[in-house]
Amino acid sequence: MPFAPSSMHVESPAFTPNGAIPKRHSAEGDDVSPALSWKDAPAGTQGFAVICHDPDAPLVKDGSYGYVHWLLYNLPSDVTSLEEGTKLGTAGVNDGGANGYGGPMPPQGHGPHQYYFWVLALDTLTELPEGLTQPELLNKLEPHILGMSRLVGTYRRD
């Protein structure tokens, strides 16, 4: 993924930056996506996409490390927040093989993992099909990324 920093700010009422993600949002709990909101998108933003990725996962897939937990795209520029368990946007396929959100569940005894909730600001409103993988999605989005920001949370299974 290209790096396009911006002044955009991402937050969640479910957890603080670098704080623990509640069990409710994990695969051990209700496996429901956390609420997110963002502000200060770059000028010219026409759409958004959200990616949740665990770079600490020992999985190697498509030549990259980590585990994709959520791909959400086709979000128009007037959407600057997502409710818990949102039905907005179009879901891509996570590394568990399902469309939509798949919450944290690092390997037993693996220690805490970090979960990066990226929000990408785009210069266009996308109309991409459901079920894209992360490489497919990024291939379509990279030419349109104006800026990005992230919220990092942690989760640990004992």
Side-chain angles (χ1 to χ4, degrees), residues 56-72:
D56 299 322
L59 178 68
V60 178
K61 183 177 177 184
D62 298 322
S64 67
Y65 292 90
Y67 191 99
V68 175
H69 286 269
W70 194 22
L71 300 172
L72 189 66

Side-chain angles (χ1 to χ4, degrees), residues 120-133:
L120 285 63
L122 309 169
D123 67 4
T124 187
L125 174 58
T126 57
E127 294 182 15
L128 301 171
E130 182 178 55
L132 295 178
T133 63

Side-chain angles (χ1 to χ4, degrees), residues 12-123:
S12 175
F15 59 97
T16 60
N18 299 306
I21 297 170
K23 188 173 187 174
R24 170 172 173 68
H25 303 293
S26 78
E28 293 185 291
D30 296 330
D31 208 12
V32 61
S33 63
L36 295 174
S37 63
W38 52 92
K39 62 183 178 183
D40 300 327
T45 297
Q46 298 297 310
F48 295 103
V50 175
I51 297 173
C52 177
H53 177 254
D54 171 5
D56 299 322
L59 178 68
V60 178
K61 183 177 177 184
D62 298 322
S64 67
Y65 292 90
Y67 191 99
V68 175
H69 286 269
W70 194 22
L71 300 172
L72 189 66
Y73 44 93
N74 299 340
L75 297 167
S77 62
D78 62 349
V79 172
T80 57
S81 65
L82 301 171
E83 295 178 349
E84 179 180 88
T86 188
K87 301 297 183 205
L88 294 177
T90 303
V93 65
N94 62 43
D95 281 342
N99 281 350
Y101 180 80
M105 195 156 107
Q108 192 80 25
H110 205 254
H113 280 215
Q114 297 180 87
Y115 297 85
Y116 288 59
F117 289 83
W118 289 98
V119 176
L120 285 63
L122 309 169
D123 67 4

